[in-house]
Amino acid sequence: MKKIITLLENLTNKKVVLENSVFKSRKMDERLISFKKELEKSMIIDEPNKTIIINKNIKYPDCLVLEKFYQGYLIDVKGDVDVSCKELKQLPLINFNKITGSFCCNQNQLTSLQYSPKEVDRSFLCYNNQLTSLQYSPTKVGRSFWCSNNQLTSLKYCPKEVGRNFLCFNNQLINLQYCPKEVGGSFSCYNNSKKFTKEDVEKYCKVGKKIE
């Protein structure tokens, strides 16, 4: 190893630190293998159809396993997915289909929702990011859809139906076109570029509870 480093340094006239990166990579792979073994205890893998069902809540390390070892699989999760507060600039490259729990990607640095699940039975939380578009949002959310504290100027691509609350406050919205057609709970749209009235909301959406 030292001979390789010396050779590289002579060729580049620069100091080369190779061992640390190699060992860090090896340790990371070892940790992922450990997570993989644990995750697979809760997985049902259908190899011919390239589908996976996961019967547990999953967190960021589990997502790293899925991203590395299960590219090309369509994945259902019977539980929650939580990748919040990880300073992510993009979501893990995983083909999520349906999540029976909640999908939490809030408090990151996301600029896109690409690789979001197609359907979420409970809540979808993407607040406190740097989103300028809701493209790739789930088509259906059973409970709350929370996209506040971003840089949204439009609600295009948001779900058409939200079972409970729809929260889009603290953005840069100038109209509510493309908002959900029906919200079972509250509709919160304060602190945007335009001050919206109850009539503005009801023009596009049937709201079950309060409008603010």
Side-chain angles (χ1 to χ4, degrees):
M1 181 65 74
K2 289 183 179 179
K3 289 181 179 179
I4 293 173
I5 292 173
T6 302
L7 178 60
L8 288 171
E9 287 179 339
N10 289 336
L11 288 171
T12 61
N13 291 320
K14 293 179 181 179
K15 183 173 180 60
V16 175
V17 180
L18 186 63
E19 289 180 307
N20 283 345
S21 62
V22 170
F23 291 142
K24 283 180 182 177
S25 177
R26 185 181 301 161
K27 285 179 181 178
M28 176 59 75
D29 286 343
E30 288 173 358
R31 275 181 283 181
L32 282 182
I33 292 297
S34 175
F35 283 123
K36 181 173 182 283
K37 288 178 180 178
E38 188 62 30
L39 181 61
E40 285 178 340
K41 294 176 183 178
S42 303
M43 291 170 61
I44 300 172
I45 305 173
D46 184 342
E47 287 287 357
N49 293 310
K50 291 289 181 183
T51 61
I52 294 173
I53 298 173
I54 301 175
N55 294 297
K56 62 172 282 189
N57 297 333
I58 66 172
K59 296 190 175 182
Y60 185 56
D62 302 308
C63 290
L64 293 179
V65 170
L66 294 173
E67 184 178 49
K68 183 174 179 65
F69 298 104
Y70 295 101
Q71 284 288 318
Y73 287 80
L74 187 65
I75 297 175
D76 289 339
V77 179
K78 293 187 175 181
D80 300 329
V81 177
D82 187 356
V83 294
S84 62
C85 305
K86 299 298 179 185
E87 299 184 356
L88 300 179
K89 294 184 178 179
Q90 67 175 35
L91 290 173
L93 278 65
I94 301 167
N95 191 13
F96 284 120
N97 183 41
K98 182 176 180 179
I99 311 298
T100 64
S102 295
F103 188 92
C104 306
C105 59
N106 49 289
Q107 294 169 279
N108 282 297
Q109 299 174 20
L110 299 176
T111 58
S112 170
L113 292 176
Q114 189 171 11
Y115 303 109
S116 293
K118 295 175 177 63
E119 188 175 332
V120 176
D121 281 356
R122 298 187 74 180
S123 296
F124 183 87
L125 310 181
C126 61
Y127 62 87
N128 284 72
N129 277 292
Q130 299 173 23
L131 299 172
T132 58
S133 170
L134 292 176
Q135 189 173 11
Y136 307 111
S137 293
T139 56
K140 182 181 177 183
V141 174
R143 291 193 180 178
S144 296
F145 185 91
W146 195 341
C147 61
S148 58
N149 294 95
N150 279 291
Q151 301 168 28
L152 300 172
T153 58
S154 169
L155 294 175
K156 191 173 183 180
Y157 304 112
C158 76
K160 297 304 178 188
E161 290 186 24
V162 174
R164 289 193 180 175
N165 303 320
F166 182 79
L167 303 98
C168 60
F169 56 87
N170 291 347
N171 277 291
Q172 300 169 24
L173 299 172
I174 56 175
N175 64 62
L176 297 175
Q177 188 178 8
Y178 307 113
C179 74
K181 294 181 178 178
E182 187 169 349
V183 169
S186 300
F187 192 117
S188 300
C189 56
Y190 55 88
N191 286 355
N192 274 287
S193 294
K194 178 184 175 181
K195 185 176 181 179
F196 298 111
T197 65
K198 182 179 179 181
E199 289 73 25
D200 290 329
V201 176
E202 291 176 337
K203 178 180 177 181
Y204 295 105
C205 182
K206 180 182 177 183
V207 181
K209 294 185 178 178
K210 67 178 179 179
I211 295 171
E212 57 182 6

